[in-house]
Amino acid sequence: MTDAGTRASSTLSERLDRLPFTRPHLRVLTGSGIGWALDAMDVGLISFVIAALAAQWSLTPGETAWIASIGFVGMAIGASVGGLLADRFGRRQVFALTLLVYGLATGASALVGGLAALLVLRFLVGLGLGAELPVASTYVSEFAPARIRGRLIVILEAFWAVGWTLAALIGYFVIPASEEGWRWAFALGAVPAVYALIVRWGLPESARWLERRGHLAQAESVVRTFEDAAGVAAAPAPDRPVAPPAKATSLAERLGALWSAEFRARTACLWLVWFCVNFSYYGAFIWIPSILVAQGYDLVRSFGFTLIITLAQLPGYAAAAWLIEVWGRRATLSVFLVGSAVSAVFFGTAGSPGVIIAAGMALSFFNLGAWGALYAVTPEMYPTSLRATGSGWAAGAGRIASIVAPLVVPPLLLAGGAPTLFVVFAVFFGVAAAAAWGLADRRGAALDDR
């Protein structure tokens, strides 16, 4: 490759990185964030629906556990496949498709009459949800200027708190209102199917992906749109705009590259962090309403506690968004995971409503701040040609833990109650905090465009 070709290929990335935050950036961030919030709303709703259906359908703990876990089976597959598809067909296309799949499946869940049909639809919901999250974070990271990239991804993740809060509000006001309340909750969850059309036609494709795939004129057009919004004069088009050699060009090469000498250490640590965080987060938060009911609180009061606990997620994201560009990725992620571990121990041993709410809010604060940092660091680990694949497979590894966690909660509760359960969660948070130090910290650095 010629020097001119190298300069041409780096020009597009440098132009994106030096831009100020403008209206097109805001459109990409909020457009993706709304999809993220709708995703969170769906995941959050199931924890409230489980608590209601357990009483209404006289479900056993094992059956309720499978309602949660079957969705995560779909998410594990969806995350892995979605990343591969996004590297092949584009970020925006796959993002819209995932919203459509899980929106339609969630809406159809409102019509089910028994457990078997619900499990099938929850699996389909999981396919869409699992693919959407890593694709969305990859998409936003490829537009974000390097100096604020981590902060923008944490803000994107903060939309999760918005969606989970919506789920808590629906759980508190809609589900207990009637025997059909859970059906109305699922019906509201169909909104992403409509929003998918907005994503498909209203957001631009990633310029980095377009360049990587050889669509140079389209990539140039996207970048110039952002430059025009910032009042920046567009750089003259290069004579020979040649992208740097791709790290991987085929499915086999992308998967193999994850475990090549260059990436194997960060892949192993990233997968371990994702596994441990998923295990503790979904084991705890999917079951919190049911655990509180089991401790003697009625359904409405349990949902009220969960709503208050959920509100602490937003300040957690805000703190992580600021610290990630001050402390860096690894330190921020590790500190918030240690805070999650300590909070889990206090929550598991809480005996009064005040302590339950305080410890639960601390767990929400630290755990969701850690999620923000994790989503920020994940796309930065890999070059453009396998960025969505690497992000998707890390998320897929984590979803294995989210499948297992809801299934092991009932036996752990039976064996040692909430204290034992939340000590186990704390141990997993601690392991993740240690593994975070094996990740590359690319604060302020340009993305790898190979």
Side-chain angles (χ1 to χ4, degrees):
M1 186 173 62
T2 66
D3 290 341
T6 302
R7 286 195 299 273
S9 68
S10 64
T11 299
L12 184 147
S13 299
E14 290 172 353
R15 287 159 62 189
L16 286 171
D17 280 338
R18 70 171 178 246
L19 289 174
F21 186 82
T22 61
R23 185 178 296 274
H25 288 105
L26 181 63
R27 188 157 61 94
V28 166
L29 179 62
T30 55
S32 303
I34 291 170
W36 201 293
L38 294 170
D39 188 333
M41 185 180 76
D42 186 281
V43 176
L45 278 176
I46 197 63
S47 65
F48 298 98
V49 169
I50 285 174
L53 288 183
Q56 192 175 134
W57 287 2
S58 301
L59 300 177
T60 67
E63 289 171 331
T64 56
W66 269 110
I67 295 175
S69 287
I70 196 65
F72 295 122
V73 174
M75 290 176 81
I77 298 171
S80 304
V81 174
L84 292 168
L85 292 176
D87 276 334
R88 175 65 180 85
F89 297 106
R91 294 17 174 162
R92 181 187 64 173
Q93 305 281 72
V94 176
F95 184 37
L97 177 62
T98 61
L99 291 168
L100 183 65
V101 169
Y102 85 75
L104 291 175
T106 299
S109 299
L111 306 176
V112 299
L115 181 61
L118 180 60
L119 292 177
V120 171
L121 289 170
R122 290 308 301 172
F123 173 78
L124 294 176
V125 168
L127 287 178
L129 293 176
E132 189 263 329
L133 294 177
V135 172
S137 59
T138 297
Y139 175 69
V140 175
S141 73
E142 291 182 344
F143 280 108
R147 66 189 178 280
I148 57 171
R149 185 175 58 242
R151 186 162 294 161
L152 292 185
I153 299 302
V154 178
I155 293 172
L156 170 68
E157 234 283 283
F159 280 88
W160 183 272
V162 175
W164 202 279
T165 301
L166 288 173
L169 289 169
I170 294 169
Y172 185 73
F173 290 108
V174 177
I175 294 178
S178 69
E179 286 194 0
E180 303 299 313
W182 62 272
R183 295 187 187 275
W184 287 108
F186 277 142
L188 290 171
V191 172
V194 178
Y195 184 67
L197 299 175
I198 300 174
V199 170
R200 175 62 182 84
W201 300 111
L203 296 178
E205 181 54 88
S206 164
R208 295 176 192 267
W209 179 85
L210 288 169
E211 183 190 42
R212 177 74 273 150
R213 300 296 296 182
H215 305 301
L216 303 177
Q218 295 176 51
E220 179 69 22
S221 176
V222 171
V223 174
R224 285 188 174 177
T225 298
F226 280 71
E227 289 175 330
D228 289 344
V232 174
D239 293 332
R240 295 185 62 195
V242 181
K247 185 66 181 176
T249 58
S250 67
L251 169 61
E253 287 181 357
R254 290 187 185 101
L255 295 177
L258 298 181
W259 296 99
S260 65
E262 182 178 357
F263 298 113
R264 68 168 65 105
R266 67 181 68 173
T267 295
C269 290
L270 191 63
W271 286 25
L272 183 57
V273 175
W274 271 90
F275 185 92
C276 291
V277 172
N278 270 272
F279 183 90
S280 294
Y281 174 77
Y282 286 107
F285 282 87
I286 288 293
W287 279 92
I288 280 178
S290 298
I291 290 171
L292 293 175
V293 170
Q295 290 180 345
Y297 299 100
D298 62 41
L299 199 63
V300 173
R301 198 175 187 197
S302 169
F303 288 180
F305 284 175
T306 305
L307 174 59
I308 296 171
I309 289 170
T310 299
L311 295 176
Q313 295 181 7
L314 284 171
Y317 283 124
W322 178 68
L323 291 171
I324 201 164
E325 301 295 3
V326 177
W327 290 353
R329 280 50 165 156
R330 289 179 300 200
T332 303
L333 178 57
S334 184
V335 167
F336 274 78
L337 287 169
V338 170
S340 300
V342 174
S343 302
V345 172
F346 278 105
F347 185 84
T349 56
S352 67
V355 178
I356 288 172
I357 290 173
M361 292 181 72
L363 184 59
S364 277
F365 177 93
F366 285 110
N367 196 189
L368 276 297
W371 270 116
L374 181 57
Y375 270 105
V377 75
T378 298
E380 297 179 346
M381 295 297 98
Y382 303 105
T384 299
S385 58
L386 61 137
R387 182 168 297 123
T389 298
S391 299
W393 278 70
R399 299 308 176 192
I400 295 172
S402 62
I403 296 166
V404 174
L407 296 175
V408 303
V409 166
L412 282 173
L413 281 173
L414 187 63
T420 297
L421 176 65
F422 279 85
V423 166
V424 171
F425 294 152
V427 170
F428 274 80
F429 281 133
V431 172
W437 290 98
L439 304 177
D441 196 320
R442 299 185 59 83
R443 175 180 51 161
L447 289 174
D448 184 345
D449 281 322
R450 288 179 293 166

